[in-house]
Amino acid sequence: MTLTIVSLLPRLQNTNGDAQNAHVLAARARWAGLEATVVDVESAQALPSRVDAVVLGSGSDSALEPSRAALLTMHDELRRWGTEGVPILSIGTGWELLSWGVELHDGRSIEGLGILPGRAVPRAGRVTGDLVIAAPRLGALVGFENHARDYVGAEGSPLGRVRAGHGNGRDSGQEGAVMGSVYGTHMHGPILAKNPVFADHLLSTIAARSGQEYTPGEQARTVDGYAAAARAAQLAVAGVSVPVS
C-alpha cells in the first residue's frame, strides 16, 4: 500500500520551506521500505482519494485570505481527517488558519477553520530567533520562529514547554497546539528535518493506520547524524542543555 502525503497549498504556504516537511515524511518512509508519495494540492479538486498525512506550511500575511478561501473548500475533509486520526502538521500561518481565527494589526479579523483550539493575536513587535521546546514523548525539539502574532487559547493542549525562545507568547511558556493527531507550531526548519524523532512519531501513526509497521531505515541513521549535529549546535547557541525535561 502506498502512503499518500498531501502537501496543502505549497504555492501560497511555503515561504519558509515548510512544505518540504511532506517530502521528509515520504523520504523516511521509503528508507524504511514503505511506498510513499507526495501530492501537491492547491484546490479541493486535486485531493487524492486516499490521504495518510497532511502538511500545511506557512505563508505571508498577504496570502492569508486566498489561502483561507482555498482551505474552506476542503473544510469538511480537514475536519474528517482530524477526527479519524490522520496526522496533520500545520506551521506558522497555516496553523493560524486552522485555528479559531487570526486578528490583524489593522483591526481586521480572519475567521479560521476551527480545527485547532486558540487564535492568533497581534503582539507589539515581530519575534525571530531560535526556539527550543520540551515536548512530551519527543524530548527536545528545535526550530526557528518568525512571527508577529502570539497565540492564545491553547493552554490546555500545547506541543511543548518553551526552553528558549518565545513560542505562543503572553507569558504562557508554551509552544504550539495539539488536538489528537493535528499539530500546530511556530517552528520552521523544516521542523521534521531538524527533529527526526517527531517525523518518526508521525510515521508510526501513519503506518499503523494503514496496517503497516514503521522502523527507521539504515539511511535514516546517516541523515539523523547530520540532524543531531545541527541540533546540538542550535541548542548550544540557545544555551539549553540536553536532555530537556
Side-chain angles (χ1 to χ4, degrees):
M1 177 183 296
T2 299
L3 301 176
T4 301
I5 300 162
V6 167
S7 177
L8 272 186
L9 311 184
R11 293 180 184 174
L12 290 170
Q13 298 292 125
N14 192 27
T15 56
N16 295 284
D18 297 308
Q20 301 310 310
N21 284 299
H23 294 275
V24 173
L25 289 174
R28 295 184 72 85
R30 296 186 194 113
W31 296 340
L34 304 176
E35 295 183 7
T37 186
V38 174
V39 177
D40 290 346
V41 172
E42 302 289 352
S43 67
Q45 291 73 24
L47 285 172
S49 57
R50 178 183 177 85
V51 174
D52 293 289
V54 177
V55 170
L56 174 60
S58 185
S60 65
D61 276 8
S62 63
L64 279 171
E65 292 187 356
S67 292
R68 177 182 180 273
L71 290 172
L72 278 176
T73 67
M74 306 174 231
H75 178 269
D76 291 348
E77 287 83 1
L78 283 162
R79 190 166 290 280
R80 174 170 54 81
W81 295 330
T83 301
E84 293 176 350
V86 173
I88 300 175
L89 174 63
S90 57
I91 302 101
T93 64
W95 165 30
E96 293 178 348
L97 286 167
L98 295 189
S99 75
W100 297 334
V102 185
E103 297 178 13
L104 304 177
H105 281 279
D106 61 10
R108 292 182 300 129
S109 293
I110 297 176
E111 186 177 359
L113 274 69
I115 307 297
L116 280 169
R119 64 189 301 105
V121 297
R123 53 175 284 106
R126 177 172 292 276
V127 59
T128 61
D130 291 324
L131 178 58
V132 179
I133 69 172
R137 299 183 300 279
L138 299 175
L141 300 181
V142 305
F144 184 83
E145 60 182 335
N146 179 11
H147 53 101
R149 286 181 288 272
D150 289 332
Y151 197 90
V152 297
E155 287 75 15
S157 54
L159 176 61
R161 299 287 302 178
V162 174
R163 291 296 177 262
H166 186 81
N168 292 354
R170 304 292 167 106
D171 296 321
S172 69
Q174 299 178 340
E175 158 57 18
V178 180
M179 181 67 73
S181 292
V182 184
Y183 300 83
T185 182
H186 292 107
M187 284 190 161
H188 307 294
I191 184 174
L192 298 186
K194 282 191 171 182
N195 302 279
V197 65
F198 192 10
D200 288 344
H201 173 74
L202 296 178
L203 282 165
S204 294
T205 301
I206 295 166
R209 292 190 72 257
S210 66
Q212 304 180 78
E213 292 185 3
Y214 172 77
T215 302
E218 187 65 31
Q219 190 169 351
R221 298 181 184 178
T222 300
V223 173
D224 291 357
Y226 301 141
R231 284 163 46 80
Q234 187 168 347
L235 288 167
V237 169
V240 178
S241 299
V242 290
V244 179
S245 59

